[in-house]
């Protein structure tokens, strides 16, 4: 490893994490229950996926698995792809993304602008279909790709264990932590660390309330491929979120604070409110995966 490469990695690392923990207690139905959300769009690539993408890439470079002669390959419906593309661009490396063909044009344009190669998977098979295709491409061409495999890569959840959780603990002592389940990296990493430090903390998995939903990045685990990094032992409770309730939260947060949040971020806050309705006091922390930048169509539909 030459010093210039290490310098480059350090420069990118400075653009990852250290996001604001925002006080959303105005949404709480109970005066003694506080709600906080981490504004994860405040980092390179504009989403929560900057942390795991960077940790996966950094470790692959340090292990010699990723270099100029190999392209990073993975399946992603959006945010991880953008994070991979933004980070590899800064490091002078290549990224190949398997993306469901029905991803929005906004997303395809961002990836193309960042110089990523896109391979389309079936629009009918969603994120699970993209994952199957990515694995088969890798198995046929292991010499030209580093397969990042975010659904099974421990460097995904470890990024949240080492950083997201520690950033939360530096500011508050949560009684409840609620996270959406996509790759489940946020849930597993933050959940594991918080349980070690605060054994009484309640860890809540958030899921859409039906298989067909509008919550980009979320999995309905009962009907989806369960990620290898998911730790079912961690969940004390599950909350199911209706997409239309998340849309109402988008309106509330915009009119209250001028923040333009994504359906996913709004659904995480909706989950926190549902938890607050069941307790008398406490501090609920959740993670707001991204903002509205890639959701022009939703904001148009909501006339916002
Ligand atoms: C918008 C959005 N929300 C939630 C998630 C879920 O995060 P995780 O993969 O850590 O479970 C993702 C993951 O890609 C996402 O893009």
């Amino acid at each position: 490893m030459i010093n210039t490469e290490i310098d480059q990695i350090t420069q990118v690392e400075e653009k990852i994490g250290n996001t604001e923990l925002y006080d959303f207690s105005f949404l709480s139905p109970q005066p003694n229950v506080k709600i906080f959300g981490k504004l994860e769009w405040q980092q390179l690539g504009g989403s929560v996926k900057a942390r795991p993408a960077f940790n996966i890439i950094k470790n692959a470079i340090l292990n010699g698995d990723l270099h100029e002669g190999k392209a990073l390959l993975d399946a992603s419906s959006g945010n991880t792809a953008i994070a991979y593309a933004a980070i590899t661009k800064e490091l002078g490396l290549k990224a190949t993304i398997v993306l469901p063909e029905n991803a929005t044009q906004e997303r395809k344009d961002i990836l193309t602008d960042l110089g990523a190669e896109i391979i389309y998977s079936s629009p009918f098979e969603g994120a699970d279909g993209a994952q199957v295709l990515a694995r088969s491409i890798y198995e046929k061409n292991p010499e030209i790709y580093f397969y990042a495999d975010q659904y099974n890569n421990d460097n995904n959840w470890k990024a949240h264990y080492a950083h997201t959780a520690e950033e939360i603990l530096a500011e508050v002592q949560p009684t409840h932590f609620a996270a959406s389940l996509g790759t489940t990296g946020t849930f597993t990493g933050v959940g594991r660390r918080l349980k070690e430090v605060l054994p009484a903390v309640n860890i809540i998995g958030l899921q859409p309330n039906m298989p067909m939903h509008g919550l980009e990045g979320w999995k309905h685990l009962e009907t989806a491929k369960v990620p290898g990094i998911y730790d079912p032992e961690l969940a004390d409770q599950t909350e199911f979120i209706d997409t239309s309730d998340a849309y109402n939260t988008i309106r509330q947060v915009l009119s209250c604070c001028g923040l333009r949040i994504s359906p996913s971020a709004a659904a995480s806050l909706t989950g926190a409110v549902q938890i607050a309705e069941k307790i008398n006091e406490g501090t609920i922390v959740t993670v707001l995966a991204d903002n509205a930048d890639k959701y022009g169509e939703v904001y148009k539909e909501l006339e916002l």
Side-chain angles (χ1 to χ4, degrees), residues 49 79-80 160 180-186 216-218 264 289-290 295:
K49 304 310 300 202
N79 279 328
T80 312
H160 295 292
S180 59
L181 305 174
T183 66
T184 74
T186 312
E216 171 90 35
W218 287 42
S264 163
D290 53 358
Y295 304 93

Side-chain angles (χ1 to χ4, degrees), residues 99-113 118 120:
L99 188 73
E101 201 172 345
N102 55 334
T104 64
Q105 193 58 43
E106 276 166 309
R107 212 143 302 194
K108 294 173 185 168
D109 291 345
I110 296 170
L111 287 173
T112 307
D113 289 347
I118 305 176
Y120 290 112

